[in-house]
């Protein structure tokens, strides 16, 4: 028997019902054909972005120089320049994915762009920017990313209620995930009352995985016992699996069935932060252990290529694991590791990291505008 080819592994992952999205975007990927290659050869059916990704893209190479020169000549201010650069990339990516969007009936072919993370605690301004991003990109396969802070929840409801497809990001805890799902349902009901076609609205809930292990592993290392060491590297997957259990519960209620009958689509779980941060772990761990029909896995290219090369696909690795997942989180609590404290810490750090990346993005654009204006 011949060895499984790289493309076969990703085809198999897709066949198991996992939509493969790339967690990266840059103009170089768009103009150089790199993103097209991943669509054609790696079964990539969507893209997610965040401030960190845009900051990295703008700091490398000369792909943005021409646009920066045009913006500088026009006297464009900083915030408008950032909006122009990022939405242009997302719009072009959305056009590239338009055939996928059509072929999947709107489920995939999605490209996400995040609201300014400095607004994570400001409901009204988040709603306002979600509207601006939606209208500026002006593509039906866009998703606006809204962080799952307490203040973000009503923004999610309002955006969905206006027919804006939303990727809810920075979800760490199961309680917050349930609140996010409820905000989505509230939004669908609001859209239904407004006469909006529910079939055109899509949502994903981005549940972060590897960051949970990084935080909990550090706490386990401080405890230092053999029992603690034996629990390392398992919490992120356990947490995600329990999120899928919650998803199945929420999207099988009479409330959901009424919305589904009106044409609504479920808010799919999306596995984010799937690049392994500890080199001691298998580099496809957050792919192999979270295979189940009806989810998205958004991967950095390094993880994507690793999965293409040697993913250990064994069918559904989520169903039948819920009791063991609960037992694992209970064992952590018995060692004194507070689940609530971990997830609260990760949410605060997540917002802070994205704010820092946004500041880096602003600094990069400021320097680029000044450099091109001086020519």
């Amino acid at each position: 028997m011949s060895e499984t080819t790289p493309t076969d592994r990703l085809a198999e992952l897709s066949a198991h019902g996992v939509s493969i999205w790339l967690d990266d975007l840059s103009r170089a990927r768009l103009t150089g054909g790199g993103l097209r290659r991943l669509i054609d050869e790696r079964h990539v059916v969507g893209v997610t972005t965040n401030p960190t990704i845009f900051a990295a893209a703008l700091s490398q190479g000369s792909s943005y120089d021409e646009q920066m020169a045009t913006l500088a000549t026009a006297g464009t201010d900083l915030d408008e320049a950032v909006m122009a650069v990022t939405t242009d990339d997302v719009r072009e990516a959305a056009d590239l994915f338009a055939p996928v969007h059509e072929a999947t009936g709107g489920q995939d072919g999605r490209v996400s762009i995040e609201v300014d993370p400095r607004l994570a605690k400001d409901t009204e301004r988040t709603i306002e920017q979600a509207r601006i991003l939606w209208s500026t990109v002006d593509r039906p396969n866009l998703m606006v990313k809204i962080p799952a802070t307490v203040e973000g929840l009503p923004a999610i409801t309002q955006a969905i209620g206006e027919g804006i497809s939303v990727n809810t990001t920075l979800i760490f805890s199961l309680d917050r995930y349930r609140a996010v799902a409820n905000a989505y349902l509230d939004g669908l009901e609001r859209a239904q009352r407004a006469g909006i076609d529910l079939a055109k609205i899509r949502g994903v809930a981005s549940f972060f995985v590897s960051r949970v292990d990084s935080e909990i592993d550090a706490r386990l290392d401080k405890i230092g016992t053999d029992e603690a060491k034996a629990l390392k590297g398992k919490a992120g997957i356990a947490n995600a699996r329990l999120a899928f259990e919650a998803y199945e519960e929420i999207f099988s209620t009479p409330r959901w069935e009424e919305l589904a009958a009106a044409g609504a689509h479920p808010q799919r779980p999306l596995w984010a932060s799937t690049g392994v941060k500890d080199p001691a772990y298998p580099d496809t761990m957050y792919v192999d252990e979270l295979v189940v029909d009806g989810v998205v896995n958004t991967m950095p290219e390094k993880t994507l290529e690793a999965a293409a090369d040697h993913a250990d696909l064994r069918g559904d690795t989520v169903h039948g694991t819920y009791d063991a997942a609960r037992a694992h989180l209970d064992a952590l609590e018995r060692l004194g590791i507070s689940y609530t404290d971990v997830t609260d810490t990760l949410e605060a750090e997540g917002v802070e990291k994205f704010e820092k990346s946004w500041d880096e993005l602003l600094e990069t654009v400021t320097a680029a505008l000044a450099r091109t204006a001086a020519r």
Side-chain angles (χ1 to χ4, degrees), residues 1-318:
M1 181 181 291
S2 62
E3 289 188 4
T4 304
T5 67
T7 301
D8 286 337
R9 282 191 174 88
L10 295 180
E12 184 181 350
L13 182 63
S14 300
H16 285 306
V18 178
S19 291
I20 301 168
W21 291 7
L22 177 71
D23 191 29
D24 194 30
L25 183 65
S26 68
R27 192 152 299 175
R29 281 194 184 278
L30 290 163
T31 59
L35 187 55
R36 166 58 68 186
R37 180 187 70 81
L38 294 177
I39 295 171
D40 293 342
E41 301 177 10
R42 291 291 187 260
H43 302 276
V44 169
V45 293
V47 160
T48 49
T49 68
N50 59 46
T52 304
I53 286 169
F54 280 125
L58 276 142
S59 66
Q60 299 169 1
S62 58
S63 300
Y64 297 91
D65 286 359
E66 183 177 348
Q67 184 176 19
M68 288 299 174
T70 300
L71 293 169
T73 300
T76 307
D77 70 29
L78 180 58
D79 286 340
E80 290 176 344
V82 170
M83 174 70 73
V85 170
T86 56
T87 55
D88 281 1
D89 279 2
V90 167
R91 187 182 304 106
E92 187 172 345
D95 288 343
L96 187 61
F97 278 101
V100 175
H101 182 250
E102 183 176 355
T104 60
Q107 174 167 276
D108 288 310
R110 294 282 172 175
V111 184
S112 297
I113 187 170
E114 188 159 347
V115 298
D116 183 338
R118 297 172 299 182
L119 307 180
K121 302 291 186 180
D122 190 326
T123 301
E124 292 306 317
R125 291 181 66 197
T126 294
I127 294 168
E128 179 184 355
Q129 193 173 60
R131 291 170 179 150
I132 292 171
L133 289 169
W134 184 253
S135 62
T136 300
V137 175
D138 193 25
R139 294 296 185 271
N141 51 334
L142 178 70
M143 279 189 163
V144 176
K145 291 179 80 173
I146 296 175
T149 56
V150 171
E151 296 84 357
L153 296 174
I156 294 161
T157 295
Q158 184 60 33
I160 293 292
E162 294 180 16
I164 298 171
S165 293
V166 173
N167 175 344
T168 304
T169 189
L170 287 176
I171 306 173
F172 296 98
S173 80
L174 295 168
D175 283 347
R176 186 58 53 83
Y177 167 66
R178 289 181 179 277
V180 164
N182 189 65
Y184 179 72
L185 297 179
D186 286 346
L188 288 174
E189 289 166 347
R190 188 172 297 183
Q192 186 177 35
R193 290 193 295 270
I196 295 172
D197 183 359
L198 299 188
K200 294 183 178 179
I201 302 172
R202 295 283 181 161
V204 294
S206 294
F207 214 85
F208 280 51
V209 187
S210 68
R211 292 191 193 183
V212 173
D213 278 333
S214 295
E215 179 66 25
I216 289 179
D217 282 2
R219 299 185 186 205
L220 289 169
D221 282 338
K222 287 182 179 179
I223 295 171
T225 63
D226 288 343
E227 182 183 7
K229 291 175 183 177
L231 294 175
K232 289 181 63 177
K234 300 174 183 177
I237 291 167
N239 199 37
R241 286 169 169 171
L242 292 176
F244 192 81
E245 180 187 38
Y247 160 77
E248 290 183 306
E249 292 172 358
I250 294 164
F251 290 92
S252 62
T253 61
R255 180 189 185 191
W256 165 248
E257 294 299 335
E258 287 186 16
L259 288 165
H265 301 281
Q267 180 191 49
R268 289 187 293 169
L270 179 151
W271 310 136
S273 183
T274 56
V276 173
K277 294 178 172 57
D278 187 334
Y281 300 148
D283 56 3
T284 62
M285 182 169 75
Y286 300 121
V287 178
D288 304 338
E289 303 301 331
L290 292 171
V291 176
V292 65
D293 186 24
V295 301
V296 178
N297 193 314
T298 185
M299 312 176 200
E301 188 171 14
K302 183 178 179 181
T303 302
L304 177 72
E305 292 301 331
D309 182 65
H310 53 263
D312 179 21
L313 300 178
R314 310 180 304 279
D316 186 329
T317 51
V318 173

